Amino acid sequence: MTDSMRIIPMKDIDYGTPARESATQVTLTIDGRSVTVPEGTSVMRAAAEAGISVPKLCATDHLEAFGSCRLCAVEIEGRRGTPASCTTPVAPGMAVWTQTDRLARLRRGVMELYISDHPLDCLTCAANGDCELQDMAGTVGLREVRYGYDGENHRAAAKDESNPYFAFDPSKCIVCSRCVRACDEVQGTLALTIDGRGFASKVSPGALESFMDSECVSCGACVQACPTATLTEKSVIQLGQPEHSVITTCAYCGVGCSFKAEMKGTTVVRMVPWKDGGANEGHSCVKGRFAWGYATHKDRRTQPMIRETTADPWRVVSWNEAISYAARRLKAVQEKHGRNAIGGITSSRTTNEEVYVVQKMIRAAFGNNNVDTCARVCHSPTGYGLKQAFGTSAGTQDFRSVDHADVILVIGANPTDGHPVFGSRMKQRIRKGAKLIVVDPRRIDLVRSPHVEAAHHLQLRPGTNVAVLNALAHVIVTEDLVDHAFVAERCDPADFAQWAAFAAEPRNSPEAVAEACGVPAGELRAVARLYATGGNAAIYYGLGVTEHSQGSTSVMAMANLAMATGNIGRPGVGVNPLRGQNNVQGSCDMGSFPHELTGYRDVADEAVRRQFEAVWNAALDPVPGLRIPNMFDEAVHGSFKGLYVQGEDIAQSDPNTQHVHAALQAMEVVIVQDLFLNETAAFAHVFLPGTSFLEKDGTFTNAERRINRVRPAMPPKTGKHEWQIPCELATAMGYPMHYDDASRIMDEIAAVTPTFRGVGFATLDRLGSVQWPCNEEAPEGTPIMHAEAFVRGKGQFVVTEYVPTPEQASRFYPLILTTGRILSHYNVGAQTRRTANVAWHPEDILEIHAHDAEQRGIRDGDLVSLASRIGATTLKARVSDRMPQGVVYTTFHHPVTGANVVTTENSDWATQCPEYKVTAVQVTRSNQPADWQRKHAAVIETVAAE
Ligand code: SF4
Ligand code: SF4
Ligand code: SF4
Ligand code: FES
């Protein structure tokens, strides 16, 4: 029995102040009841934990107590006055009274003052029924307001509706400062202040700016914290209060935030981050909190479509017709060109269960291992590198671990934009004293933002990660900063000796590599010393590490550093990939790679294959299949003819767009399963509509290996669960596949995957979420891996020779382009471009250093041509002090920019992950779009018109 809806009470219990951890317990009495709580707990929280509710307005349990409203006053025997219970810590033997005549008078007086300056439009207010001021007026028994409403007040204060998602109505503000503290303590942006004093005090974004003009990043923490209707979601203003909620998981990034989808029937009213969410603990970013409107966007396709050729118009058909047509065409290709002429790509945006059935369909029904996943183009080097070093293809820590880090090394990642909720957590830790090292060619926000400053920013040349990491290793070895006890106990001694000798070679010294890397030797030495000796040191990295010709080498080089300094296997340390898409970890775990079945077990291993063959009742091919780039190459050469693509816009997201388009054009059948007619659909013959996360029933696995439930807030708009589509296609191809519901798929995954043996929907409903491995040895999961021993036994040091990428700047292409993403958009933007998030980033921009711009006569806002050896495109330039000289940067969120028109086919030596991060380019002024952009605009218009 599983709980596919998980409808929970609309209002969470608010304990008033945060929980405290202490080995010392304190016993006191509250209203005559004996209560025992950890030392440091507030009287208010102790009361709430005993079921006694003390009135409050300025306190809430995700913010530190502030003590401004005075509503929570209590009487304590032996103490004078009426102290605020939110700011008073418990003491042994304390006797507290929360309800006395004196307190009742006091509280009514406080409420009277608030209400005398409040517009009493409760019946038409958007927060009616969800307003703490209203609740407190009732709680304290306010019956009259003696002061009248004629004097000076704030009731005519102007609204700020500049933010697309929430409104600010200062006439309703009680200046409790919860919003200001949320922006500071939870989000860490400090966009809000209380301006003025006494009666004149008011909340202000920035220096009396509007929300849109301020530093606000629209995370929604202030809106959630506001006890009145002052800060309210526009969707609530429009739709009214929700009536039930469903716990589910964000479908954007690898942080995997849990949300309460607050609903009215089958309409989402708002998404509220869930306090008990293991990854986010009640926080969110603009995407998960607000950018869910794409799920019901008019562009969404909900009916299957087919066509003979890509020149024909699409024809809407029934599911049965679409499935049998797709099966017929795939079988025809196999009959003509052989069993291996078809394959498929799984999606990291779909659930584990949906990925699992797609790879099963390919292996069992297509009869080959031609399955790959979009992780190929992002974190495949993580899978390879961490498996080599530690024995498992996943990050080592949970997110909470960063709270114990003393040194945080961020390399090739931009957490405040790419993984914002974790970025906020990291910032809080840095503000509490952890030292930050940033290794990135671009000055990301973390380098310097309010109350956060990196101790070191190594602004290296793109493509030199391995040289930098080897230089750090050199210092650690030659200055004897190695944790010899850890290495002796936990690692392979022969590998270590070989690696240490390599690292110590003079050619790896900071002085030898400084010029190539563009980083002063002194900085490299200082960073190595800090990492090795600064206490708990944790590495967090992203695509700026993996998407290189030496991506896998860099991952192993980081693992070497962690093992050499003993920074692995406990809280506060580790090597942690910040995964891109919501389920990229899961899609890899689920057997999406051509050489591996679920749990990263080799398809060539007969014992492993036999296990699957017994459960699947199918013979499996022992030969690993084609990777995505091989599929494209073989399509161009004429031997790969049919592709099934699930939720992945390869025509836009993969490198060397022209080559990808040529490959797709050369195929005889392309099947696209997606929410929208994306760029790839222009080459497709069958379109199978998919479901949004709001319709899905299943699980996502985040960057910390946390398996979160995804629960349907509404029925599938397509009339079919997405996992049913591959099942029916496989059946139509002659391999029967059927499940009663998604939980049965997870049961099968658990049966065939040792690290998932204890996972099931019932377990997830009980625990909230669980981090794999979850099995007999770890029934409640494994937050931190490799605690006693590495999964592979002894940790393996690998010699990481630096081999410069062939992609070098030249006279014709003197600049290096690197790419990344920004907070408001996600990946190719298919979802976020269909929301109001476009208000923040309507187009991709090329960031360029002032000197490089000046040399080319480029001014801020000019249209420029960006040309590489592969192709050219046109976009606007921004002169930016974030960039070092010689390096330019852009995002790839808008198809019309086509950043991947210029990226090359260079790729990681081990995994073929494309080298998106290094492309030699020239930038010149331009006055017109590139040719392909003009043609592309016509394609977009055609797709939109269909
Ligand atoms: S939305 Fe977030 S960033 Fe903006 S003011 Fe509120 S808390 Fe601060
Ligand atoms: S906007 Fe809301 S949270 Fe902020 S001070 Fe006013 S009432 Fe309090
Ligand atoms: S941080 Fe990631 S998972 Fe969390 S709300 Fe934002 S996009 Fe969603
Ligand atoms: S809730 Fe304690 S002073 Fe406001």
Side-chain angles (χ1 to χ4, degrees), residues 308-338:
E308 268 310 302
T309 72
T310 54
D312 297 329
W314 284 109
R315 193 159 61 82
V316 173
V317 294
S318 69
W319 272 110
N320 280 348
E321 187 175 349
I323 298 273
S324 46
Y325 181 78
R328 203 166 56 242
R329 289 197 65 164
L330 286 169
K331 283 203 289 191
V333 168
Q334 284 191 306
E335 275 157 25
K336 199 163 131 197
H337 301 284

Side-chain angles (χ1 to χ4, degrees), residues 552-576:
S552 294
T553 316
S554 294
V555 173
M556 292 186 289
M558 292 185 300
N560 291 339
L561 292 183
M563 288 189 289
T565 55
N567 277 308
I568 203 93
R570 62 178 188 278
V573 299
V575 181
N576 301 286

Side-chain angles (χ1 to χ4, degrees), residues 168 172-179 194 203 225-228 230-231:
F168 176 53
K172 292 181 171 162
C173 180
I174 59 171
V175 202
C176 66
S177 186
R178 273 162 65 161
C179 55
I194 300 283
V203 171
C226 182
T228 67
T230 314
L231 285 159

Side-chain angles (χ1 to χ4, degrees), residues 163 166 178-184 186-192 205 211 214-224 231 283-284 290:
N163 187 288
F166 59 83
R178 273 162 65 161
C179 55
V180 178
R181 288 179 284 141
C183 195
D184 174 351
V186 179
Q187 168 55 26
T189 293
L190 293 97
L192 299 176
F211 269 88
S214 74
E215 295 293 312
C216 168
V217 293
S218 217
C219 72
C222 57
V223 182
Q224 201 180 336
L231 285 159
H283 192 32
S284 63
F290 296 117

Side-chain angles (χ1 to χ4, degrees), residues 261-501:
E262 295 197 346
M263 310 290 299
K264 236 185 177 155
T266 56
T267 302
V268 180
V269 175
R270 65 180 167 191
M271 297 291 285
V272 178
W274 191 34
K275 248 163 91 165
D276 294 335
N280 57 323
E281 296 176 355
H283 192 32
S284 63
C285 82
V286 61
K287 295 187 287 289
R289 178 77 154 95
F290 296 117
W292 35 267
Y294 70 87
T296 49
H297 193 275
K298 65 174 175 45
D299 290 355
R300 175 97 185 263
R301 298 298 161 133
T302 56
Q303 292 172 298
M305 297 187 292
I306 61 172
R307 58 184 176 183
E308 268 310 302
T309 72
T310 54
D312 297 329
W314 284 109
R315 193 159 61 82
V316 173
V317 294
S318 69
W319 272 110
N320 280 348
E321 187 175 349
I323 298 273
S324 46
Y325 181 78
R328 203 166 56 242
R329 289 197 65 164
L330 286 169
K331 283 203 289 191
V333 168
Q334 284 191 306
E335 275 157 25
K336 199 163 131 197
H337 301 284
R339 179 168 53 88
N340 291 326
I342 63 171
I345 299 174
T346 69
S347 170
S348 295
R349 313 205 58 67
T350 60
T351 63
N352 287 318
E353 293 72 15
E354 289 162 346
V355 171
Y356 178 82
V357 290
V358 170
Q359 61 88 33
K360 179 176 172 181
M361 168 187 77
I362 291 163
R363 297 185 200 276
F366 291 11
N368 61 45
N369 292 309
N370 290 339
V371 54
D372 208 355
T373 180
C374 42
R376 172 71 51 214
V377 298
C378 64
H379 266 289
S380 49
T382 290
Y384 178 86
L386 294 184
K387 191 168 183 182
Q388 294 296 310
F390 305 146
T392 195
S393 299
T396 61
Q397 312 294 117
D398 59 356
F399 289 146
R400 275 185 205 125
S401 163
V402 78
D403 301 348
H404 303 276
D406 302 306
V407 178
I408 299 172
L409 172 58
V410 176
I411 170 165
N414 185 1
T416 52
D417 278 55
H419 302 83
V421 165
F422 179 66
S424 288
R425 185 163 206 147
M426 188 184 269
K427 282 206 286 192
Q428 302 300 357
R429 180 62 201 149
I430 295 162
R431 286 171 67 182
K432 286 182 183 145
K435 295 272 190 306
L436 172 67
I437 301 161
V438 173
V439 183
D440 202 297
R442 186 165 172 262
R443 183 173 55 73
I444 58 172
D445 278 348
L446 266 185
V447 172
R448 197 172 307 116
S449 56
H451 300 292
V452 169
E453 178 143 20
H456 301 275
H457 177 202
L458 307 187
Q459 213 164 4
L460 78 177
R461 292 214 169 86
T464 61
N465 286 334
V466 174
V468 165
L469 292 164
N470 285 347
L472 302 183
H474 177 91
V475 177
I476 288 165
V477 170
T478 56
E479 295 188 8
D480 198 17
L481 308 177
V482 171
D483 182 340
H484 291 289
F486 181 92
V487 171
E489 189 192 334
R490 302 282 306 270
C491 304
D492 185 298
D495 291 340
F496 171 73
Q498 197 182 5
W499 170 78

Side-chain angles (χ1 to χ4, degrees), residues 16-17 44 54-60 65-73 84-87 114 176 178 181:
T17 62
M44 174 179 277
V54 181
K56 61 181 172 53
L57 275 174
C58 68
T60 182
F66 191 55
S68 71
C69 76
R70 299 288 304 142
L71 204 62
C72 69
S85 62
C86 63
T87 50
Y114 279 124
C176 66
R178 273 162 65 161
R181 288 179 284 141

